C-alpha cells in the first residue's frame, strides 16, 4: 500500500510535554498538508509544504507548533508545551500539484492526540 | 467565519434510495470543490470533485452538482448502500491551495 502514512496513530501525553508526529506522503507527491480535526468539526488547515518549502501557516498554528519537511519527503509536526486544547486528530494529506492544476489531496489515517 | 457550510448534521436514508447531501459556500474565489467520506478512526477518503467551470460530474453511483449562482453544491448517491454509511465532508479550495471543509453530515443507510 503506497498511501499516506502517519505515526504514531495515538498519543497520550501530559500537559506541558512535547510531542512529535510524523507523516510519510505518497512518494511522487510534491505537496504535503497538515490539518487538525476536533469532534463534530471538519478538518482545519494548519500548514502546507511545496517540496521542502513551507508556503503557508494558519493563524491556528501558534508558536508552540512547528512543522518541517526536510528534503521534501516526510514531514514532522511538533507541539511544544502541550495544552489540553491541543487534543485533536492531526491529519496529514499529500497531493501532486503541477502548473496550478488542482489535484485531489489524499489523507493519512491521522494521529489522535490526547493531552491529560 | 464558516466559508463552507453543511447545514444538516445527519441524514437517514433507506437502502436503495437516493441520498442527497448539501453544501453551501460563501467565498467566490473557490474554484474547485471536493467531497470526502470518513469512517471512524480513519482519515477522509476522496470521493469525487468538480471544477467551477462545470455544473455536474458523475462517477458511478456518485454525482456532484454545482450551482455557482446559488453558491451551492450537492452530492447524490444512488442507489444508496449500507457501506455508504459514514460522515461526508464537503471541501473547497481557492486555486492551488489549502482545502476549506464543512462540518460534515453523518449519513446512515437503513436496510
Amino acid at each position: 500500500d503506497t498511501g499516506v502514512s502517519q505515526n504514531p496513530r495515538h498519543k497520550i501525553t501530559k500537559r506541558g510535554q512535547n510531542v512529535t508526529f510524523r507523516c510519510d506522503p505518497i512518494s511522487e507527491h510534491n505537496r504535503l498538508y497538515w490539518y487538525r480535526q476536533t469532534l463534530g468539526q471538519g478538518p482545519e488547515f494548519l500548514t502546507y509544504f511545496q517540496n521542502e518549502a513551507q508556503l503557508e501557516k494558519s493563524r491556528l498554528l501558534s508558536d508552540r507548533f512547528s512543522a518541517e519537511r526536510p528534503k521534501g519527503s516526510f514531514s514532522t509536526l511538533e507541539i511544544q508545551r502541550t495544552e489540553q486544547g491541543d487534543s485533536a486528530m492531526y491529519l496529514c494529506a499529500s497531493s501532486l500539484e503541477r502548473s496550478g492544476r488542482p489535484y485531489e489531496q489524499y489523507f493519512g489515517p491521522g494521529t489522535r492526540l490526547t493531552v491529560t | 467565519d464558516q466559508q463552507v457550510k453543511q447545514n444538516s448534521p445527519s441524514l437517514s436514508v433507506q437502502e436503495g434510495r437516493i441520498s442527497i447531501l448539501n453544501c453551501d459556500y460563501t467565498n467566490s474565489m473557490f474554484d474547485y470543490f471536493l467531497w470526502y467520506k470518513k469512517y471512524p478512526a480513519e482519515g477522509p477518503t476522496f470521493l469525487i470533485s468538480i471544477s467551477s467551470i462545470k455544473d455536474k460530474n458523475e462517477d458511478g453511483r456518485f454525482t456532484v452538482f454545482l450551482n455557482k449562482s446559488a453558491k451551492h453544491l450537492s452530492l447524490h448517491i444512488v442507489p444508496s448502500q449500507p457501506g455508504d454509511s459514514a460522515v461526508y465532508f464537503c471541501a473547497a479550495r481557492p486555486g492551488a491551495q489549502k482545502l476549506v471543509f464543512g462540518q460534515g453530515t453523518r449519513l446512515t443507510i437503513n436496510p
Side-chain angles (χ1 to χ4, degrees), chain A residues 9 31 33 35 37 40-43 45 48 56 91 97 100 102-109, chain B residues 1-2 32 34 36 38 41-44 46 49 89 93 95-99 101-104:
Chain A
R9 295 291 306 275
R31 285 213 176 170
Y33 303 79
Y35 292 84
Q37 185 178 17
Q41 300 296 317
F45 169 77
Y48 85 92
E56 185 177 350
L91 294 162
E97 304 283 343
Y103 282 82
E104 295 78 27
Q105 294 181 21
Y106 293 89
F107 283 81
Chain B
D1 60 335
Q2 191 73 30
Y32 197 65
L34 307 89
Y36 284 83
K38 188 178 185 302
E42 294 184 12
F46 169 72
S49 61
F89 290 99
R93 55 185 286 177
Q97 297 180 26
K98 61 183 183 279
L99 292 177
F101 283 85
Q103 308 95 309

Side-chain angles (χ1 to χ4, degrees), chain B residues 1 7 21 24 30-31 33 59 74 78 80-81 88 97 103 111:
Chain B
D1 60 335
N7 291 316
L21 297 105
D24 297 294
F30 289 147
D31 62 356
F33 302 88
D59 184 1
S74 60
V78 56
S80 300
Q81 300 174 354
Y88 288 78
Q97 297 180 26
Q103 308 95 309

Side-chain angles (χ1 to χ4, degrees), chain A residues 5-7 20-24 32-36 44-49 54 58 61 66-69 74-78 90-94 105 107 110-111, chain B residues 98:
Chain A
S5 63
Q6 292 187 246
N7 288 288
T20 300
F21 311 140
R22 176 179 170 126
C23 171
D24 287 89
L32 187 148
Y33 303 79
W34 285 99
Y35 292 84
R36 181 172 69 186
E44 293 177 293
F45 169 77
L46 292 178
T47 187
Y48 85 92
F49 294 83
Q54 189 173 18
S58 163
L61 212 66
S66 62
E68 294 183 343
R69 192 184 182 197
F74 72 92
S75 176
T76 58
L77 177 68
E78 181 183 17
Y90 289 84
L91 294 162
C92 175
S94 70
Q105 294 181 21
F107 283 81
T111 295
Chain B
K98 61 183 183 279

Side-chain angles (χ1 to χ4, degrees), chain A residues 55-88:
Chain A
L55 296 187
E56 185 177 350
K57 292 193 290 187
S58 163
R59 66 179 187 275
L60 292 175
L61 212 66
S62 75
D63 55 6
R64 296 185 298 105
F65 288 71
S66 62
E68 294 183 343
R69 192 184 182 197
K71 303 178 183 178
S73 56
F74 72 92
S75 176
T76 58
L77 177 68
E78 181 183 17
I79 309 174
Q80 296 182 329
R81 305 181 303 281
T82 52
E83 301 172 356
Q84 288 187 320
D86 297 331
S87 295

Side-chain angles (χ1 to χ4, degrees), chain B residues 8-66:
Chain B
S8 298
S10 62
L11 177 67
S12 187
V13 175
Q14 204 73 17
E15 182 179 358
R17 303 276 186 158
I18 184 170
S19 296
I20 300 176
L21 297 105
N22 294 301
C23 178
D24 297 294
Y25 63 96
T26 58
N27 190 339
S28 299
M29 298 301 293
F30 289 147
D31 62 356
Y32 197 65
F33 302 88
L34 307 89
W35 284 93
Y36 284 83
K37 173 180 175 180
K38 188 178 185 302
Y39 293 118
E42 294 184 12
T45 301
F46 169 72
L47 266 181
I48 191 169
S49 61
I50 188 168
S51 166
S52 61
I53 62 175
K54 296 185 176 181
D55 55 18
K56 177 183 174 181
N57 187 28
E58 191 172 351
D59 184 1
R61 296 186 299 114
F62 302 92
T63 302
V64 55
F65 295 92
L66 175 62

